[in-house]
Each structure stands twice: as C-alpha cells, then as structure tokens.
C-alpha cells in the first residue's frame, strides 16, 4: 500500500508540475488576460475539474507559479549558518545567488507579466510581490538583525536596509534585461556587480570616493 501511495503521489506531483509549466509558458506567450484554461489543458493535458479543484482559478495558477519559484529560490539561498560567516561574506553569497535568480528566464517572465498586468489585476501584482520580493526582503532583514545583535552593524530599520540592498543588487542591470535591451549578464558581470553593491552598502559612497 505504501508503494502504491508513493507511485500515486509521484504521479500527482508530476501532473501538477506539468500544469504549472504549461501555464507559465502560456502566460508568458499570451499574457495573463489572454491566456485561457483551455489552452493550458491543451498543452499539459488533464481537465478543468483538476485545475479548479487544485488551484481554484487562473489567478490561483499564477499564484502557484510565483510561490513555487519563490519557494525554490528561498530554499536554495545559502543563508543558513550565517553566524559562521562575517556580514560581507554573507551579503556577497546572498547577493550572487539572488542575482542569478532575478536573471533566470522564468523569474524574468513572471516579473514582466506582473508589471504588465498590475493595473488590470492588482491582486496578481500583490501576490507576486508578497510571495517573491517581499519574502526575500524579510529574510535579508532577519540576517541584518542577527548581524546587529553581534554588533557587526549599527542600524535602525533593518527591513528598509534590506530593501535598499536588494535594490542595489537588481540595479539597472535587471531592468535592461527585463526590457530586452541586453542579454542576462555573465557570471563575471554578476560577480562584479554584487561585490560593488556589497562594498557600497557596507562602506558608503563617501568612503569609497576617498579611497
């Protein structure tokens, strides 16, 4: 029975992943408003009843795509055992991984879709922010609060500082890729961008200019 349950669970998981992958492709190709459940089923198989019972509706599908990518991104962020690293190393490792996530084709597609549909579907934009960037900011703020307790930094609002650092990591580089003005940066470009952001974040532009 346990073996059968495992097989059944694996089949359900694969079906769910196929639906989410097909939905993401359709959303990115056609836009959220134009995408239809029928088109997703045609590409992935299954039935409307399966989609509605598991995801509720089209917005539920989009939210599941965003949440799934956010879960994967946050679970793979190397942010455990931060007490074993100093803050510059922690921010560098965090920043490099985060920038790779921001530059991934799926996340770029989700970002474009959320921005495009924000006016017509504000709940969509809210779900994207809360499940993606918002969760990342909260985790980084926790890291800064831990560093503050160790007297590595003296700051006030760690949440605000986390927002600032993430903004520095994205920079105009992310916007240029989102707008299709350039391809995603190379590993070397991302490494240099993160090192610069960490240096400015920790030391300030005035100190850097005096070097």
């Amino acid at each position: 029975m346990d073996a059968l349950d495992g097989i059944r669970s694996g089949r359900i998981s694969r079906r769910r992943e196929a639906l989410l992958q097909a939905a993401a492709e359709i959303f990115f190709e056609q836009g959220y408003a134009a995408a239809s459940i029928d088109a997703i089923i045609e590409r992935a198989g299954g039935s409307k009843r399966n989609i509605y019972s598991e995801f509720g509706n089209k917005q539920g599908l989009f939210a599941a795509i965003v949440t799934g990518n956010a879960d994967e991104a946050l679970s793979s962020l190397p942010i455990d055992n931060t007490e074993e690293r100093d803050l510059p190393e922690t921010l560098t490792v965090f920043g490099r991984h985060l920038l790779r996530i921001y530059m991934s084709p799926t996340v770029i597609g989700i970002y474009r879709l959320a921005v495009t549909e924000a006016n017509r579907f504000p709940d969509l934009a809210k779900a994207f922010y809360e499940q993606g960037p918002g969760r990342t900011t909260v985790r980084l703020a926790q890291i800064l609060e831990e560093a503050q307790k160790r007297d590595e930094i003296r700051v006030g609002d760690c949440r605000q500082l986390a927002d600032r650092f993430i903004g520095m990591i994205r920079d105009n580089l992310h916007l240029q890729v989102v707008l299709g003005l350039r391809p995603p940066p190379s590993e070397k470009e991302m490494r240099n961008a993160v090192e610069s952001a960490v240096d400015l974040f920790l030391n300030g532009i005035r100190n850097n200019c005096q070097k």
Side-chain angles (χ1 to χ4, degrees), residues 145-162:
E145 287 166 359
E146 291 165 6
Q148 189 177 34
K149 291 175 183 176
R150 296 192 301 267
D151 292 325
E152 287 189 71
I153 54 174
R154 292 184 177 87
V155 295
D157 189 339
C158 289
R159 177 66 181 267
Q160 186 180 66
L161 283 175

Side-chain angles (χ1 to χ4, degrees), residues 10 22 97 123:
H97 192 86
D123 288 344

